[in-house]
Amino acid sequence: MYGKGLRPLSIATVAALVAALSLVFFYAPLDADQGFIQKIFYLHVPLAITALVGFVVGGVFAIAHLRSGNSKWDAYSYVSIHMSVIFGVAVLVTGSIWAKASWGHWWVWDEPTLVSFLIVFLMYATYYPFRYAIEDRERQGRYASVFAIVAGAFVPLNFMAVRMAQSLVHPRTFGTANGGLPGSMMLTFLVCLLAIGLLWVTLVKFELTAKSASGQVKRLRRALDAPAPGGRSRVAPEVS
Amino acid sequence: MRRERAYLILRDQSMGEVHSFGVLGLLAAAPALPLDEAGKYVAGAYIVFLALIVIYVAIMATKLQRIERELRELAGFAEQRNGEADREREEVSA
């Protein structure tokens, strides 16, 4: 059910990633201030935007789950958050590398962008123990949805806090003041954002397909495992 | 500095000879692929991203292999059960 359209989506993602990398290294000009190091921007920022939007999307799916009671939306919410956490790891690592190259430190505690993202990331890192601490599947889904909604509402605060913080260390890239990004850089950035966004959607779809297949196998096992009258089960126990 | 100068010379040369240089020419024609300190960090960032994706895909491939194995096992069991049911029906009709 979930696997429909996965192949064309995967092809589009690979094509977009190849186009994005080509633009980054063969088209986008070198930044006058940072030089070659600025190339990390085309990876780091789209990853951060996609991860944060993914967290919000997880919250929206959680609302759909609480409203309808359909566990499908809970699976969507879980996978969206899971994928955004993975992207979050990439954001933190690439950000640290960029910080080391630009500022000489792997981490800077007085930089609001970094710290606020770390707070959001750590908050979502607690999603897994919170979810799996509850044994009852029904309650697990409901409580996880409440968490996803509350945390998802907190994410826009991350953007607002950074916007309001007047830091000279982390300049506003898309600000209209001081010119913002030149056209070629903006085009490269938008293609990168599209590619990373497509990658997120593809991986979410891929994981949902795998989860759905696993669920179907479990259902089939249960159906086949139903013992015949007077007989006993002959299906091996589930591989955990 | 010598590296940068060499790179710039290679880039200038390759601008008109991308085809004859092949991949090397294409790389040299890029706006900037310096092999200095910055290049190391940029390569590191992109490699980390690639590694994460590869690890994730490898984990998912392992999961899919397990599902496939379980499906094969269940299909075998279902066929065996159908065969037994057919035999029982034949015995009853006989």
Side-chain angles (χ1 to χ4, degrees), chain A residues 105-124:
Chain A
H105 299 285
W106 292 106
W107 190 262
V108 182
W109 284 107
D110 58 2
E111 171 53 42
T113 316
L114 274 68
V115 179
S116 62
F117 189 87
L118 182 68
I119 290 168
V120 169
F121 176 79
L122 290 177
M123 184 174 66
Y124 276 97

Side-chain angles (χ1 to χ4, degrees), chain A residues 25-26 36 39 207 224 234, chain B residues 26 30-32 46 56 81 84:
Chain A
F25 291 106
F26 297 103
F36 190 60
K39 300 283 180 194
E207 188 159 335
L224 285 171
R234 282 182 294 177
Chain B
L26 201 66
Y46 280 85
Y56 175 80
R81 203 150 93 162
E84 280 174 12

Side-chain angles (χ1 to χ4, degrees), chain A residues 21 24-28 30 36-37 39-40 42-43 47 82-83 86 89-90 93-94 97 100-101 196 199 203 206-207 210 213-214 217 220-221 223-224 226 234-236 239-240, chain B residues 26-34 36-46 48-49 52-53 56-57 60-61 63-64 66-67 69-71 73-75 77-78 80-81 84:
Chain A
L21 287 176
V24 168
F25 291 106
F26 297 103
Y27 173 69
L30 278 183
F36 190 60
I37 291 167
K39 300 283 180 194
I40 300 176
Y42 300 110
L43 178 67
L47 275 171
H82 178 59
M83 201 49 63
I86 295 172
V89 172
V93 176
T94 54
I97 293 171
K100 177 68 180 169
I196 298 289
L199 181 68
L203 293 180
F206 183 43
E207 188 159 335
S214 179
V217 166
L220 189 60
R221 183 183 288 277
L224 285 171
R234 282 182 294 177
V235 180
V239 183
S240 57
Chain B
L26 201 66
L27 285 172
L33 281 178
D36 61 2
E37 194 78 0
K40 201 172 68 183
Y41 286 114
V42 174
Y46 280 85
V48 162
F49 170 67
L52 268 174
I53 299 299
Y56 175 80
V57 170
M60 290 308 292
K63 276 187 183 172
L64 286 177
R66 198 187 69 199
I67 291 168
R69 197 179 59 231
E70 285 184 27
L71 264 179
E73 184 193 309
L74 290 173
F77 175 68
Q80 191 187 337
R81 203 150 93 162
E84 280 174 12

Side-chain angles (χ1 to χ4, degrees), chain A residues 81-167:
Chain A
I81 290 171
H82 178 59
M83 201 49 63
S84 294
V85 167
I86 295 172
F87 274 46
V89 172
V91 171
L92 290 173
V93 176
T94 54
S96 284
I97 293 171
W98 196 5
K100 177 68 180 169
S102 293
W103 305 329
H105 299 285
W106 292 106
W107 190 262
V108 182
W109 284 107
D110 58 2
E111 171 53 42
T113 316
L114 274 68
V115 179
S116 62
F117 189 87
L118 182 68
I119 290 168
V120 169
F121 176 79
L122 290 177
M123 184 174 66
Y124 276 97
T126 64
Y127 176 78
Y128 301 98
F130 174 76
R131 187 182 177 103
Y132 291 114
I134 303 164
E135 278 188 26
D136 179 45
R137 294 294 295 270
E138 190 82 13
R139 272 180 60 213
Q140 187 191 87
R142 224 172 34 244
Y143 285 24
S145 289
V146 172
F147 180 101
I149 293 165
V150 174
F154 177 74
V155 168
L157 290 176
N158 179 49
F159 280 114
M160 285 161 64
V162 172
R163 282 277 159 191
M164 285 190 291
Q166 295 295 316
S167 171

